[in-house]
Amino acid sequence: MNTKTEQVSAQKIMVLDDDPELTELLSEIAEMEGHDVICLNDATLFDDVFNHQIDVLIMDLMMPGRDGIEILRYLAEIKSNVLIVIVSGFDKSVLDVAFELARAHNLNIHCTLNKPFRVENVKQTLRKIAAQSNTTVDVFKAAKSLKMELSVPMFKEALEREDFCFYYQPQVSLQDEQIVGYEVLARWVHPELGMIQPIDFIPFAEAEGLISELSLYLIDKGLKEFSNLENNSKLTLSVNLSTDQLTNLELPDILCGLALSTGLKQDQIMIEVTESGVIKNLRASLDILARFRLKGFKLSIDDFGTGNAMYEHLQKLPVNELKIDKSFVSKALTDSKSKTIVEHTASLARELNLKTVAEGVETREIADFLKYSNIDYAQGYLYSKPLPYQALISP
Ligand code: G
Ligand code: G
Ligand code: MN
């Protein structure tokens, strides 16, 4: 067991920085920690030197000939799993953008470090990586190979076998912390692969043109299950619509039929759509969303704040609720920009007569801040993780 841990903790590390003194210092630190190091000062040679055996890439952002952003784009193109540490003298907002960009590329970014860095910080970072990399890299690889393993026949089989089930995450009122409703989240329980998260199967279903069938199946099943819950009449059920569905003009009629057959009232159903989905198909979305409202459903904008042209469109959209993305909520007390976004969303929503939900609420301090900022509802691990249906009927 011990020897195994030691074996995996020696990493192959590449240091990329146009400053030879810095590469040397970083490489000395990494070697002292027992790693194998390759140095590169000329970023234009990156493609020739980089290979998939490298576990960790420590890289600068501003380099002559080829900057760090271009390197990230290249790593995404070759679908690299390398664990990335960005070291740069730029201010925090530039480091944050690079970090978010790497995530948007689905890269395995570990952290960013400010230059000038403290040797101790670099050591700590490398130790953390060595301790985690075994699992992180494995999980990352597992997720990638899972995507490769999914196939259309497998999916059809799962629908026939009814492999899908639901988890419910409570939403509470911040005033009195009473449960006001649940968000229903799909899970695929595969007989051999185990639990597959929506983040892995929704994009697959979208890419293969199966999302419509899957979504309608899930909404139907979710509504039926929820309608059997005792005392549901004062609760709202939030359901997620995928982006691709905002082109199906028949959706409002279909959902109306499903709701009627379960006996749930339309105003108990909150339909969550994402900003980016609405913007991508604006005309069809407006048609669909308007008709959802005419039929009595409620509408929520999920991941609010993460799109880019929302303010321009917000006034046109017939929504009831803004759901503030967890990336802002979780940082509301440590990052002043996130705090500002939360506060402004709260006042914007009030002006527009909309309710607000904060998602990803993990601490009491954040809940207090949200309440003080006049956010209406909260959802997050502080109150409860998503729960299986059984836990709702016999708490
Ligand atoms: O449950 P979380 O656990 O991992 O959900 C991840 C993402 O998957 C969320 O953004 C959620 O909106 C989405 N998701 C969960 N269930 C469904 C579903 O039934 N349909 C669609 N379209 N998205 C879902
Ligand atoms: O649709 P959407 O992305 O909003 O789905 C909510 C997602 O957020 C689900 O994947 C759910 O498991 C996750 N989630 C809910 N509460 C928390 C929380 O407090 N912290 C974190 N990190 N994730 C959460
Ligand atoms: Mn959601």
Side-chain angles (χ1 to χ4, degrees), residues 206 211-212 215-216 219 239-252 255 271-292 299-302 310 317-319:
E206 284 176 342
I211 189 70
S212 199
S215 287
L216 291 178
I219 291 173
V239 300
N240 291 285
L241 270 195
S242 90
T243 306
D244 291 22
Q245 292 203 281
L246 291 174
T247 53
N248 179 1
L249 296 176
E250 280 156 38
L251 208 59
L255 249 73
I271 297 170
E272 293 189 8
V273 294
T274 60
E275 280 191 68
S276 50
V278 170
I279 294 164
K280 196 166 143 203
N281 312 300
L282 191 62
R283 194 161 38 155
S285 299
L286 289 175
D287 182 309
I288 294 168
L289 299 185
R291 293 186 63 237
F292 272 135
L299 294 176
S300 175
I301 305 258
D302 204 352
M310 207 56 208
L317 297 175
V319 295

Side-chain angles (χ1 to χ4, degrees), residues 169 183 185 187 198 240 272 302-303 323 325-326 359-362 379-382 384-386:
Q169 189 171 34
E183 176 175 9
L185 297 156
R187 301 288 182 263
N240 291 285
E272 293 189 8
D302 204 352
D303 307 340
K323 193 164 183 189
D325 193 64
K326 57 176 173 280
E359 66 171 21
V361 180
E362 293 186 359
Q379 179 180 338
Y381 297 167
L382 173 63
S384 169
K385 292 205 165 179

Side-chain angles (χ1 to χ4, degrees), residues 93-112:
S93 66
V94 176
L95 286 174
D96 285 351
V97 172
F99 185 88
E100 289 304 328
L101 176 66
R103 289 227 307 222
H105 276 310
N106 283 323
L107 290 167
N108 203 2
I109 175 106
H110 184 266
C111 66
T112 60

Side-chain angles (χ1 to χ4, degrees), residues 43-61:
T44 62
L45 302 178
F46 184 77
D47 302 10
D48 303 325
V49 181
F50 183 78
N51 62 64
H52 286 290
Q53 267 77 55
I54 294 170
D55 302 302
V56 181
L57 171 65
I58 303 179
M59 64 170 221
D60 189 12
L61 280 182

